[in-house]
Amino acid sequence: MESVDLLITHASELLTLKGPKKPRIREQMKNLGIIKNGSLAIKDGQIVDVGRNLRYKPETTLDAAGKLVMPGFVDPHTHVVFAGSREFELDLKLAGVPYMEILRRGGGIFYTVEKTRKASPTQLLVQSKKRLDTMLRHGTTSCEAKTGYGLDVENELKLLKVQKKLQGSHPMELVSTFLGAHAIPEQMDGDDYVQTILHEMLPKTKGLARFCDVFCEKGVFTVEQTRKILEAGKQYGLVPKIHADEIVNTGGATLAAEVGAISADHLLRSSEAGLQAMARNHVTGVLLPGTPFCMMMQRYAPARKIIGLGVPVALGTDLNPNCWTENMQLIIQLACLNMKMTPAEAITAATFNAACAIGVNNRVGSLEKGKQADLLILDCPSHQFLPYHFGVNLVETVIKKGEIF
Ligand code: NIG
Ligand code: FE
């Protein structure tokens, strides 16, 4: 397929997300730049005009009367490349076995590592592409993808190469993250594995990753180990990200501010001081409500408090074998219904701020002249419908770089 020159007309609401070019905070998150009865023109895969009653005569016109037009979702946190599945863990979770206990018994991440190590690059490509197809159908037009189910030099490199290959062979725009520090391999000492990451893995990430992430958590990587890895990653041009304070507050949010991370993700247990440090240093907080949802946890990240402290907030799926959803619409619904974000805040978090969290906001995340034509037409008369009419795919048309899907 090719990009088509296109005019979209009469959208009941066209959400431009026009605004500051930096991650949006507090009141800024509420401003969706709505144009009622909006039109948008696309030429050569780019947005050439946005407004009302545009004078433009392209080959194709789409009437969006009664519909919502908005930027494609950006999913800033996925572990999309993995083999196998873990549906049997639900029975354990229902019996009350905690996530970290499943991991200690050799399940969880370790189970997926075993399957992923055995899978060939082609098998991983096929399985991951299917997930990217589902993501695209549900409106995600750009995403991040992390390694982390290899946990040795050979297999982490295999995953980085699969991610690279996906970048060129799927319409989804994919930004690659190296997460060698996702767990300490079984039978290995944590500090020894950190040495392997520093000296054998990081040097091989050249040209294959843009970010370096660490699962900083009690019983996984300590704050000091995390700092070492992220500082070393910077020497290879990798921008830091952190899985921070998901289960226990270990100071991940503070560390994110100290190392200049682009984002700190999860943040269920972060201290107020840590969140304040993030706000001062413009670290985006990526909240992942799918994770506590599928783990049946009572607690979600305190989104109202995080926004109130001035941290820019983004939303992501965390797509992985523990929390398997490709659907950012569900994440927006959970953000509103379980974290009390307003529909406008959640939409900003799933588009522009999510683009900021993976460094692609110069190209995507808002509908403005000169930006890439990544947008959606949804069967919603207003943006409030998106979290209101839940559990179905509201996306009717996906346009990626001017191509209609
Ligand atoms: O972000 N917390 C660590 N990593 C993933 C889960 C990975 C897994 O369970 O396979 C997360 O939740
Ligand atoms: Fe994650």
Side-chain angles (χ1 to χ4, degrees):
M1 261 201 289
E2 293 243 310
S3 86
V4 280
D5 293 351
L6 189 68
L7 180 67
I8 298 171
T9 59
H10 306 302
S12 66
E13 283 187 6
L14 189 149
L15 313 182
T16 63
L17 275 292
K18 191 171 153 64
K21 307 228 175 298
K22 299 191 304 255
R24 316 249 165 105
I25 59 169
R26 296 195 177 102
E27 292 301 306
Q28 295 169 351
M29 290 184 70
K30 296 196 176 126
N31 186 0
L32 299 177
I34 300 177
I35 303 176
K36 297 219 174 196
N37 193 19
S39 290
L40 181 141
I42 299 171
K43 194 172 172 11
D44 300 326
Q46 288 217 321
I47 299 168
V48 290
D49 213 351
V50 187
R52 257 186 220 117
N53 304 320
L54 302 179
R55 285 167 185 279
Y56 182 64
K57 291 259 171 295
E59 38 193 322
T60 312
T61 299
L62 289 181
D63 183 6
K67 316 263 172 181
L68 179 67
V69 173
M70 63 174 290
F73 299 122
V74 178
D75 189 344
H77 185 135
T78 86
H79 308 246
V80 66
V81 184
F82 63 85
S85 60
R86 308 213 302 258
E87 66 287 0
F88 50 85
E89 283 181 0
L90 180 55
D91 282 316
L92 292 174
K93 292 186 207 165
L94 286 167
V97 185
Y99 177 81
M100 292 304 282
E101 178 57 30
I102 297 177
L103 187 64
R104 270 190 294 271
R105 292 184 194 173
I109 295 175
F110 295 126
Y111 179 89
T112 304
V113 166
E114 204 187 304
K115 298 279 172 198
T116 305
R117 283 179 178 171
K118 283 191 188 131
S120 70
T122 311
Q123 287 168 330
L124 287 167
L125 271 171
V126 170
Q127 294 179 29
S128 308
K129 272 189 183 167
K130 187 173 168 205
R131 292 171 205 138
L132 294 181
D133 288 345
T134 308
M135 289 165 75
L136 195 67
R137 265 203 314 280
H138 288 82
T140 299
T141 47
S142 302
C143 75
E144 183 252 19
K146 305 175 193 294
T147 67
Y149 293 114
L151 301 188
D152 63 24
V153 178
E154 180 196 339
N155 284 290
E156 282 296 311
L157 193 61
K158 175 175 83 178
L159 296 178
L160 282 169
K161 287 183 179 161
V162 168
Q163 289 176 182
K164 177 91 183 174
K165 203 133 196 200
L166 287 169
Q167 284 171 337
S169 60
H170 196 280
M172 179 76 61
E173 212 159 319
L174 187 145
V175 179
S176 181
T177 296
F178 168 66
L179 176 61
H182 193 196
I184 297 159
E186 286 176 297
Q187 268 99 50
M188 198 164 177
D189 169 75
D191 286 327
D192 290 345
Y193 185 53
V194 172
Q195 291 305 310
T196 306
I197 293 174
L198 298 186
H199 303 294
E200 296 177 57
M201 292 184 181
L202 282 173
K204 297 199 169 71
T205 58
K206 199 165 187 270
L208 295 172
R210 183 158 165 198
F211 300 109
C212 180
D213 195 347
V214 177
F215 187 17
C216 181
E217 187 61 59
K218 183 164 180 243
V220 194
F221 294 93
T222 65
V223 164
E224 279 324 306
Q225 289 171 330
T226 304
R227 188 194 303 276
K228 249 190 214 155
I229 293 166
L230 295 177
E231 288 294 348
K234 285 200 236 172
Q235 305 303 312
Y236 295 96
L238 301 175
V239 176
K241 278 182 170 279
I242 308 184
H243 278 68
D245 310 322
E246 178 183 354
I247 299 158
V248 176
N249 172 32
T250 63
T254 310
L255 178 65
E258 286 170 1
V259 297
I262 193 165
S263 78
D265 303 27
H266 287 290
L267 308 178
L268 268 76
R269 306 269 171 174
S270 300
S271 67
E272 190 159 318
L275 295 169
Q276 277 163 344
M278 281 177 63
R280 276 195 304 278
N281 291 277
H282 314 287
V283 182
T284 296
V286 177
L287 308 187
L288 306 161
T291 310
F293 176 67
C294 73
M295 301 211 282
M296 295 164 286
M297 286 161 65
Q298 301 309 312
R299 182 195 282 243
Y300 283 72
R304 290 261 53 90
K305 178 176 165 187
I306 297 173
I307 292 172
L309 288 169
V311 177
V313 164
L315 288 166
T317 58
D318 200 14
L319 164 54
N320 70 65
N322 176 54
C323 169
W324 192 337
T325 180
E326 289 88 347
N327 185 356
M328 285 291 285
Q329 297 167 64
L330 170 68
I331 298 305
I332 288 172
Q333 288 148 11
L334 292 174
C336 294
L337 304 177
N338 285 340
M339 298 199 302
K340 309 272 186 301
M341 289 173 71
T342 66
E345 287 171 337
I347 289 170
T348 299
T351 55
F352 188 81
N353 277 7
C356 294
I358 57 170
V360 293
N361 52 307
N362 57 339
R363 279 201 312 284
V364 305
S366 62
L367 302 181
E368 297 175 82
K369 214 168 157 169
K371 273 197 145 176
Q372 202 165 286
D374 288 10
L375 52 127
L376 313 173
I377 305 177
L378 287 91
D379 184 21
C380 295
S382 74
H383 69 278
Q384 284 102 339
F385 255 76
L386 182 40
Y388 164 66
H389 184 177
F390 65 92
V392 293
N393 187 8
L394 295 163
V395 170
E396 282 190 349
T397 308
V398 178
I399 298 171
K400 174 68 187 173
K401 287 188 188 155
E403 243 183 83
I404 302 176
F405 289 92

